[in-house]
Amino acid sequence: MKNELAAPFPILGIAAWSGTGKTTLLEKLLPQLNEHGLQVAVIKHAHHSFDVDQPGKDSHKLRCAGAAPVLVASHQRFALMQETPGQAEPDLAKLIAMLVPHHPDLVIVEGFKTWPIPKLVLYRDGIGDASILTGTWVAAIAANQPPSIDVTDGVPRLDLDDIDAIARWIVTWVDAKNKALPSASDSSMTQPSMPQSSTTRPSQKQR
């Protein structure tokens, strides 16, 4: 079994088939986690080319001219844009390391399903294969009805539509993970290499 990707803060993956309502759930869940006092960072995997910059803007012109990276900052926010030519997939370990200076209480990772991190798996009956509910890194399951397959004993089962219960579980999970984290003086970040991507694609996209 691969070693869990380590960091000075808990990392929780959110795994679900496309169409389950993952983003909608996170939109409702994040304010509740904030109310519980958690500063939550999110890393989202994009399955396509994307651009947060706008053609015609100075930052876009400079990036096209070869600046790498480009950091744009104002009194309200900043954005770092870095080209990654030749990179097959984003390296989650490197992205996690970029968040360390921000000291989040929790990092939620959407996507990166092959990386060794604990995952809250969301499942809506009739959408995708229920086998997503099994696996080494499943920390909890949130489904809209009891799973039709056997899942690992001891894995918490939550109601997919009960945001309050999911938030409470995450808060409890974060507390337990923090107690288990080694101190900064006797640990260093573990950065597993990028898992080999499968050449087979599921019939329905899992994010």
Side-chain angles (χ1 to χ4, degrees):
M1 182 177 71
K2 298 187 184 74
N3 292 329
E4 180 177 340
L5 177 60
F9 37 71
I11 304 170
L12 179 64
I14 302 292
W17 295 109
S18 179
T20 302
K22 179 169 66 280
T23 300
T24 299
L25 181 141
L26 285 174
E27 286 179 320
K28 297 176 181 178
L29 187 60
L30 287 168
Q32 292 211 22
L33 296 177
N34 292 156
E35 289 178 5
H36 281 282
L38 295 181
Q39 178 184 337
V40 184
V42 175
I43 297 176
K44 177 178 173 60
H45 185 283
H47 293 277
H48 50 78
S49 177
F50 69 94
D51 199 335
V52 298
D53 208 356
Q54 299 180 31
K57 294 293 185 180
D58 290 348
S59 55
H60 188 272
K61 293 177 182 178
L62 295 172
R63 185 158 56 93
C64 290
V70 176
L71 178 62
V72 184
S74 74
H75 70 284
Q76 292 182 317
R77 65 185 61 89
F78 71 84
L80 178 69
M81 290 164 284
Q82 172 69 62
E83 300 298 318
T84 55
Q87 181 172 281
E89 284 292 334
D91 188 316
L92 181 58
K94 291 181 179 179
L95 298 176
I96 291 291
M98 291 173 65
L99 293 178
V100 171
H102 300 280
H103 306 290
D105 298 308
L106 167 67
V107 174
I108 289 179
V109 176
E110 184 180 330
F112 297 91
K113 65 180 182 298
T114 59
W115 281 83
I117 57 175
K119 296 177 177 66
L120 169 62
V121 181
L122 315 179
Y123 183 72
R124 195 171 296 280
D125 187 55
I127 299 179
D129 189 342
S131 64
I132 190 177
L133 301 173
T134 62
T136 303
W137 297 103
V138 177
I141 292 167
N144 66 323
Q145 65 179 38
S148 59
I149 64 172
D150 292 333
V151 297
T152 304
D153 291 339
V155 173
R157 304 181 192 185
L158 307 166
D159 183 344
L160 180 59
D161 299 313
D162 190 342
I163 304 299
D164 291 341
I166 296 174
R168 288 194 300 269
W169 177 82
I170 291 177
V171 170
T172 301
W173 181 86
V174 167
D175 184 59
K177 291 294 285 187
N178 279 329
K179 291 177 180 177
L181 283 174
S183 64
S185 61
D186 60 8
S187 68
S188 59
M189 287 187 62
T190 299
Q191 297 192 357
S193 59
M194 176 64 194
Q196 295 294 322
S197 59
S198 173
T199 56
T200 59
R201 294 179 178 271
S203 57
Q204 190 167 2
K205 185 182 293 182
Q206 180 186 341
R207 295 178 179 175

